[in-house]
Amino acid sequence: YTILTVGDGLVTQIPALIISTAAGLVVSNVTSEKDLSNTIAQQFSMSPKPLFVAAVILFLFGLIPGLPHFAFIAFAAMTGAAAYFIDKAQQRKAVEEEELKEREATEAAEVAPAGEIIEEITPIDTLGLEVGYRIIPLVDPAEGGELLERIKAIRRQLAEDMGIIVPSVHIKDNLQMKPSEYVFLVKGVEVARGELMVGHSLAINPGDAQGGLDGVPTADPAFGLPSIWVDDSNQDKAQIMGYTVVNHSAVIATHITEIIKNYSEELLGRQDVQNILDKVAETQPKVVEELVPGILPLGSVQKVMQNLLKERVSVRDIQTILETLADYGMMTKDTDLLTEYVRMNLSRQISQTYQTPDMTIEALALNVDIEEVITKSVQETPQGSFMTIDPGVAQQIIVKIKEGLEELMARGHQPVVLASHQTRRFIRKLLERNFPTIGVLSHGEIATTVRVETLKVVRL
């Protein structure tokens, strides 16, 4: 009686189990685009693994005493066969798809010359360095190369000095170059080139070195100073004679540093400026909220910062820069004029760059006649101020300033050109092609604690 009762209870649950399973299948298939039979067939044919597992379980049930062995083993064989055929079908399908892809790739390669479709354009590296095969060991740390570490240090130092994040330098070898040659690129365009001498070090004459050093005369690639390639065995001798001796990695690193400083304004994009503003807004949100975009657009802030970087003025004091733009941005939208206002508020920083240890700035001043000529040539337009000076007069001014600078440098001075606030930016534009690194300051950009020593006055 107990066996019959328990058995009857179990048997009566089977229809309920089947009905609930069927209801679940129907409900889950309501939103499907296919009917129930196709959906079930597709799911069973998707993967052979569940069928293999089911075949093993049915076979194990067939081995249990008291159960119908023939029925379970037969079902296990049928399920295993179905899994086997599904697996073979999937393998054939995978092979056919691979062959189809190969045919499509071959056809695309044949059609490409007639009309190739470009799906993606590879972006240009902002900074790049191409080297000959003999310079590769300088880049490979496994061979003791230290150039990568030097470049990392350069990026950190420039971030501290200039106030901008320098992009990574993408380095690659170029077998078409000379073995010991290197080329530096900015936005994919060559801007500097140099060549090293294998087995030699560069001995740079700081100005007071002794003569008679054996080697190959050359010029320092970064600053153009008189130098000599000396054999590595003569390094100590060169140092005793007063030369500054540097290895190949230091030569390239110093050259890269100067190139980045020369082109720093091109490295500062709108997104970089926005990142700087976002960082400032974390601690001083009111300054950013007032300035951008209420007073000036993002592009104007970028242009002012680029103007500063172009003359090697650090933009790290971003608070002073933004507050000055907020003060004067309501008066004018001329970014060149706004730059002049910012420079005056950065007078201590600018003065520190050019002053001597005794707090003195050595200056080459311009006479009143030059100032008047430039002032009269300035034309005011809605887009800003422009200089329309006669080319002959402009060339004469450049020559006179050049003669004055060369005279003072020959006497051992490092002067700046001193001009009025109204003409400073225009004089700078006159000189930037011939003297890109010479400082041009106005009286308002010199801190009150610094003394100005006028060494020479230039006259027409």
Side-chain angles (χ1 to χ4, degrees), residues 124-130 183-193 259 263 266:
I124 297 177
D125 295 315
T126 305
L127 298 177
L129 177 65
E130 296 183 357
V183 172
F184 197 74
L185 303 97
V186 175
K187 296 182 179 179
V189 180
E190 177 184 338
V191 295
R193 180 183 294 262
I259 294 301
Y263 293 89
E266 296 186 23

Side-chain angles (χ1 to χ4, degrees), residues 355-356 358-362 446-453:
Q355 69 189 24
T356 59
D358 60 349
M359 302 288 288
T360 301
I361 289 182
E362 300 174 336
I446 300 177
T448 56
T449 57
V450 178
R451 183 172 61 90
V452 177
E453 182 180 356

